Amino acid sequence: MNDVKQLQDIATQVRRDIIRMIFASQSGHPGGSLGCADFMTVLYFNVMNASPQTFTTDGKNQDMFFLSNGHIAPVWYSVLARAGYFDVNELGTLRKLHSKLQGHPTNYVRGVRIASGSLGQGLSVACGAAVAKKMNSDTNIVFTLHGDGELQEGQIWEAAMFAAAKKLDNLIATVDYNGQQIDGTVDNVLSLGDLPAKFIAFGWEVIQLNGNDIAELIDGFAKAKSFVGKGKPIIILMKTEMGQGVDFMMGTHKWHGKAPSEEQTRQALAQLPETLGDY
Ligand SMILES: Cc1ncc(C[n+]2csc(CCOP(=O)(O)OP(=O)(O)O)c2C)c(N)n1
């Protein structure tokens, strides 16, 4: 799907789903989920060679995606449901006992290949998948998403070094570069310094864009794909706003992992028109 307006409409409905799911469970992570709604929509509805019909856990002959910052599961669950991986009505079971949709993703969910939420592991898993694709002469792409706070994990840099050394040019990593994390700004907690320069020094192709602009995301991913097969792993640093789309959740880390009250939910939903129909 290339139509920007259609993709924006999906992202708006995904944001409604996120608010409604987290309100219903009174637990979860709205900030990062809302900030990544545009990216996740573009990834599933525009970028990836993947579909619910052809999904397999081993990911052979299809693009693969690993959500490394697993706490933003609500946005992934909503996008998967809206893309047809499972019934949208299941979204109402977030974090309920016996639900497949737990607070962090597990591979009980159709569309999910690994459990995640323990930060820092997804890039290593993606490296393994990218190596396997090369061994199988499978030309499809491996995608990941990471939080910027997550990049403080040492394992990320081990994987970053590995990906460049092994020329994993079928790997497109992305970062939710919102400058916020659980306890404050990334700069205050543990600054990442000059992040683009660091990835360039590690041997990666670096792309920077506005991760809350659907048209920029489409162009940025087309550019990223043009680097596939050129000898270097690729990373897209996506400037986003935590809480994007709900005014009182934006510009602060305070909504990293907090459920809205009934009144806050009403205020949030008033800013997010129903576009595809609520579950
Ligand atoms: C290994 C590990 N350490 C700590 C945590 C606790 N934790 C959950 S989210 C988070 C902050 C992550 O920040 P960021 O990746 O920037 O995500 P955002 O706040 O932008 O959603 C932390 C420290 C964790 N899930 N895993």
Side-chain angles (χ1 to χ4, degrees):
M1 186 188 297
N2 286 313
D3 188 310
V4 172
K5 170 76 174 69
Q6 261 181 299
L7 290 163
Q8 279 165 345
D9 282 351
I10 297 171
T12 302
Q13 185 68 48
V14 166
R15 289 189 163 97
R16 277 186 75 84
D17 290 348
I18 291 164
I19 295 292
R20 297 179 69 243
M21 290 160 79
I22 297 176
F23 169 65
S25 64
Q26 277 302 294
S27 165
H29 297 79
S33 294
L34 291 167
C36 291
D38 303 301
F39 158 67
M40 293 292 280
T41 299
V42 170
L43 182 72
Y44 273 86
F45 288 87
N46 174 271
V47 173
M48 276 207 296
N49 169 31
S51 78
Q53 290 76 31
T54 56
F55 176 83
T56 55
T57 359
D58 66 14
K60 269 190 191 164
N61 304 316
Q62 56 200 273
D63 287 347
M64 298 172 83
F65 171 65
F66 296 102
L67 180 74
S68 196
N69 47 339
H71 60 278
I72 68 162
V75 65
W76 198 13
Y77 295 156
S78 168
V79 168
L80 284 173
R82 296 286 168 187
Y85 283 79
F86 54 86
D87 191 330
V88 289
N89 289 315
E90 238 182 276
L91 295 177
T93 70
L94 178 75
R95 286 180 177 247
K96 299 261 158 67
L97 200 59
H98 305 306
S99 169
K100 288 180 190 149
L101 307 185
Q102 288 305 310
H104 294 76
T106 67
N107 52 358
Y108 294 124
V109 183
R110 189 162 172 82
V112 176
R113 294 188 172 90
I114 56 158
S116 63
S118 188
L119 297 170
Q121 300 178 347
L123 196 58
S124 305
V125 176
C127 282
V131 169
K133 285 208 178 301
K134 284 190 175 285
M135 292 173 80
N136 290 328
S137 305
D138 173 350
T139 56
N140 288 280
I141 302 170
V142 180
F143 294 90
T144 61
L145 175 62
H146 308 269
D148 48 4
E150 184 194 353
L151 301 185
Q152 295 157 347
E153 297 283 352
Q155 186 176 345
I156 290 284
W157 298 97
E158 181 183 355
M161 191 162 50
F162 179 89
K166 302 298 172 190
K167 298 187 173 35
L168 300 183
D169 53 10
N170 54 348
L171 172 61
I172 301 180
T174 69
V175 178
D176 176 25
Y177 204 6
N178 61 13
Q180 307 281 351
Q181 59 183 96
I182 192 166
D183 282 333
T185 66
V186 174
D187 276 346
N188 280 339
V189 176
L190 180 59
S191 175
L192 298 170
D194 188 341
L195 192 59
K198 284 183 181 167
F199 273 101
I200 290 167
F202 268 70
W204 287 59
E205 196 65 60
V206 177
I207 294 172
Q208 298 189 67
L209 52 77
N210 178 350
N212 293 130
D213 183 313
I214 299 258
E216 256 193 59
L217 282 162
I218 293 173
D219 289 351
F221 275 92
K223 188 172 170 198
K225 282 185 175 179
S226 77
F227 289 124
V228 168
K230 303 275 166 63
K232 289 180 178 183
I234 302 133
I235 189 155
I236 308 183
L237 305 177
M238 307 183 295
K239 277 275 178 214
T240 60
E241 187 76 54
M242 186 179 264
Q244 176 72 30
V246 176
D247 55 8
F248 62 88
M249 290 188 176
M250 290 166 67
T252 167
H253 68 280
K254 300 240 164 76
W255 289 93
H256 161 90
K258 189 173 105 171
S261 66
E262 194 167 349
E263 173 55 19
Q264 287 165 333
T265 299
R266 199 191 54 71
Q267 284 175 25
L269 294 180
Q271 298 169 44
L272 301 168
E274 193 176 336
T275 52
L276 304 182
D278 286 339
Y279 61 84

